[in-house]
Amino acid sequence: MAMNGTLEHAAAALLDGRLTDPFALLGPHDEGGGTVVRTFQPGAEEVSLIAQSDEHELGTLKGTGGLFVGRLAENVAYKLRIVWPGGAVQETEDPYSFGTVLGDLDLHLFGEGRHWGLGHVLGAQPRAMEDVQGVAFSVWAPNARRVSVVGDFNNWDGRRHPMRLRHGAGIWELFVPRLGAGSRYKYEIAGADGSTSQRADPLARATEAPPATASVVAATPDFHWTDADWLAERTARQGPDAPISIYEVHAASWVRPEGNREGTLDWRGLTERLIPYVADMGFTHVEFLPIMEHPFGGSWGYQTLSQFAPSARFGRPEDFARFVDACHRAGIGVILDWVPAHFPTDPHGLAHFDGSHLYEHADPREGFHQDWNTLIYNLGRREVAGFLLASALWWIETFHVDGLRVDAVASMLYRDYSRNAGEWVPNVHGGRENLESVDFLKRLNEVVAECCPGAVTIAEESTAWPGVSAPLEQGGLGFSYKWNMGWMHDTLQYVERDPVHRAWHHNEMTFGLVYAFSEKFVLPLSHDEVVHGKGSLIGKMPGDRWRKFATLRAYFTFMWTHPGKKLLFMGGEIAQDSEWNHDAEVPWHLLSDPEHASVQRLVRDLNRLYAKEPALHARDADPSGFQWIVGADSENSVFAYARLGHGDVPPIVVLINMTPEPHRNYHVGMPRAGRWREVLNSDAALYGGGNIGNDGLVEAEPTPALGQPASATVVLPPLAAVILRFEGGRR
């Protein structure tokens, strides 16, 4: 069939992979008083048209160079019947006979950066169009010259399924009939710079397991949740007055499968083993290092490429949903680390995605992160900010996760973060604050609070930026909590010192109370403290084996009784004696050693006591819930303080001796006269200590001391902490 010059030019562009408007050439077209159909099927021997209704023949197409052209005999819905070499016959609807995939409202909201449901719209969406099942593909690449969807279904040939550009929004789209969940795919992009590359889908909801890099069509989310009671209680469970104790986990290396030290437990295995362990240990939450798909396991997930896809390392997306549901049934919340600050430069990813700096800043002073050799999201671009906001909501809404810990917030807030003079670009006012990132973080917290009541956001933020966890209406960033990096740094520095030197550094333990109520804090002993040559927690403690274990027990007790929520990285609870190795597992064999098992027992008991005693958690963000009793006895390295609840809640007094010698007649003020029960002693034999203490009871006399209305003479065990709870009047 003859073609005019315009069509010949389009056909040549198709064969060369240069066709920018495939719908102008392919599919059905009214020409010369009838309908002409064109389809590109390179390698096919025959192509004919058949009726969808009863499959009677409607015409035969003639082919040249893979482009088959013919006239439709009747004006009815048709299918393509394709005969391949060897006699294989394929019947399918014509992708170029369908209308547009996305609605105008979707395009408008995406362009405004306000489409919170992108995970249900863009990417690869199994759906029906005109009663035909298939997959609707769509991807943002406004500067590309041509985008095609490629996969096993078309031999990864970018000429087979070029996509339609929705001008204005910069989104390319195509409906591919008879394709379904499980199909591998990428986008082949002819970039604005003349390059051609195959890219993973930024909106993929499933991926191949690394090192493979293809995206995978995921089934429409259809999981039956059983956690309605949990979600109804979530706001109360995660509020500032609730006990929150977080077990931080790297899913791949918590434990390895039996007999396979290089293998990884999937979500089913983690459901069977991790959930009972976390529940037994008394942690209220489990927090995962990023489980979003990432190409390099050694990044621990912090170099994320698929912001909507749970890593295929651990199974299917629905398996992750089942894990979260099981956590909720066990009374455990789930927090995910989430990385909106930067992304890796892998060639199948987001870098220079459409031949231009699309997701990242063009200027390396803004767009390249020197510390991690990664690219920085251009959060001033509405589409990029909206993409990330939709990702945040995707995890909370689709998988019912209870919170996001936002990584590297400090690097987002400051344009000169980790940069020397001349290596950064000031903001429009000449300052160092990253105004676009500030707006993004505020918007993130506003949207999460509005759309997902009860979910929390937690900032990993290490600077003195004011109001990180203050409400938006008060000028804050609006996070639920902030990691207290200063507390972690100062107190670890103190306990690492030999006791003989601690008297001169007493303020390292007390300074945190100066600002403890300026934010709603989480006290973190995270993975960052046991990597890159920092050793293990037990390894940081000075002295011989007895002193190391005693100091760690005292430090844990100090942490669990200090204002602020708690976070402990896996392995810390058993006094892991080696630095964390992501290629190994937690050295569980250490539990055969009574001292390691005793530390685990102490952490379990601290969690239970912390949850049971309102005085230890109900006023974490209220300065009236804490009171120093002894804060300046640097000579004896003693700390004493009271934790106070509301109303008739029994107060708690904590006494800590950070020297290796007991103080047997230490006189201390007490908030009330009467009996005080010794509810925990980190030197108890139960925890591997020397069993020095107060025989379970302290009697406070109505004699004022140290600004308190009562006082008592107590025994302070060496390198230990004692927790006393008020029980009532004097005997």
Side-chain angles (χ1 to χ4, degrees), residues 499-500 502-504 506 632-638 657 659 663:
V500 72
R502 288 176 180 162
W504 286 273
H506 199 72
D633 189 0
S634 58
E635 181 179 353
N636 290 302
S637 296
V638 167
N657 172 17
T659 73
H663 300 314

Side-chain angles (χ1 to χ4, degrees), residues 225-297:
W225 292 91
T226 63
D227 63 348
D229 290 344
W230 168 273
L231 295 179
E233 300 171 357
R234 185 165 67 179
T235 299
R237 287 176 177 266
Q238 301 194 143
D241 59 348
I244 298 178
S245 180
I246 304 166
Y247 188 55
E248 188 189 32
V249 172
H250 179 248
S253 63
W254 180 69
V255 69
R256 300 287 177 178
E258 295 293 338
N260 184 3
R261 293 305 162 192
E262 296 182 356
T264 301
L265 285 184
D266 59 14
W267 290 119
R268 295 185 182 188
L270 289 166
T271 298
E272 294 172 359
R273 301 187 64 176
L274 178 61
I275 294 176
Y277 179 78
V278 172
D280 176 67
M281 288 297 298
F283 289 99
T284 64
H285 289 70
V286 60
E287 177 178 323
F288 287 106
L289 277 60
I291 62 157
M292 302 79 186
E293 192 62 88
H294 49 282
F296 176 48

Side-chain angles (χ1 to χ4, degrees), residues 691-711:
N691 225 26
I692 297 173
N694 298 276
D695 295 326
L697 196 68
V698 167
E699 192 78 33
E701 302 293 333
T703 304
L706 301 176
Q708 300 295 318
S711 59

Side-chain angles (χ1 to χ4, degrees), residues 18-157:
R18 297 181 288 104
L19 185 61
T20 58
D21 185 6
F23 281 83
L25 174 68
L26 301 175
H29 294 268
D30 291 333
E31 295 179 10
T35 300
V36 172
V37 176
R38 302 183 190 91
T39 182
F40 185 61
Q41 305 294 341
E45 293 184 344
E46 299 176 18
V47 179
S48 58
L49 305 177
I50 59 175
Q52 281 193 4
S53 58
D54 58 8
E55 299 191 353
H56 71 272
E57 189 165 324
L58 298 173
T60 300
L61 308 187
K62 295 181 179 180
T64 302
L67 180 62
F68 289 81
V69 184
R71 191 172 291 276
L72 188 63
E74 303 172 33
N75 189 21
V76 295
Y78 69 91
K79 295 188 292 187
L80 302 172
R81 176 176 285 161
I82 308 166
V83 180
W84 298 101
V89 177
Q90 175 189 6
E91 291 184 2
T92 181
E93 291 73 19
D94 185 353
Y96 299 95
S97 67
F98 292 90
T100 56
V101 169
L102 298 176
D104 290 340
L105 180 58
D106 289 322
L107 299 178
H108 173 75
L109 291 175
F110 174 78
E112 291 289 317
R114 295 188 296 113
H115 200 316
W116 310 142
L118 287 184
H120 298 283
V121 176
L122 293 188
Q125 302 291 336
R127 56 178 283 194
M129 288 191 70
E130 301 176 17
D131 297 324
V132 175
Q133 294 294 328
V135 177
F137 293 95
S138 52
V139 62
W140 181 54
N143 302 306
R145 296 185 300 170
R146 188 258 305 168
V147 179
S148 301
V149 59
V150 295
D152 293 327
F153 54 90
N154 62 13
N155 294 320
W156 302 88
D157 185 344

Side-chain angles (χ1 to χ4, degrees), residues 604-687:
R604 181 189 293 115
D605 288 352
L606 283 171
N607 273 331
R608 292 174 177 173
L609 185 67
Y610 168 64
K612 177 183 177 182
E613 298 294 338
L616 290 177
H617 62 255
R619 299 170 81 177
D620 265 339
D622 181 352
S624 65
F626 178 90
Q627 188 177 67
W628 275 116
I629 297 174
V630 177
D633 189 0
S634 58
E635 181 179 353
N636 290 302
S637 296
V638 167
F639 308 87
Y641 48 88
R643 295 298 308 275
L644 309 171
H646 296 284
D648 296 330
V649 168
I652 295 285
V653 166
V654 183
L655 309 165
I656 304 174
N657 172 17
M658 293 303 288
T659 73
E661 301 297 328
H663 300 314
R664 295 191 177 275
N665 293 289
Y666 194 88
H667 195 65
V668 63
M670 299 292 283
R672 297 182 190 177
R675 296 187 306 277
W676 291 77
R677 177 69 58 187
E678 190 178 75
V679 293
L680 190 142
N681 180 342
S682 70
D683 191 55
L686 179 69
Y687 305 129

Side-chain angles (χ1 to χ4, degrees), residues 399-423:
F399 294 106
H400 288 203
V401 302
D402 302 292
L404 299 174
R405 178 270 207 179
V406 183
D407 182 64
V409 169
S411 76
M412 300 174 69
L413 291 174
Y414 298 98
R415 288 176 163 267
D416 64 344
Y417 181 88
S418 196
R419 296 181 188 271
N420 299 317
E423 295 178 346

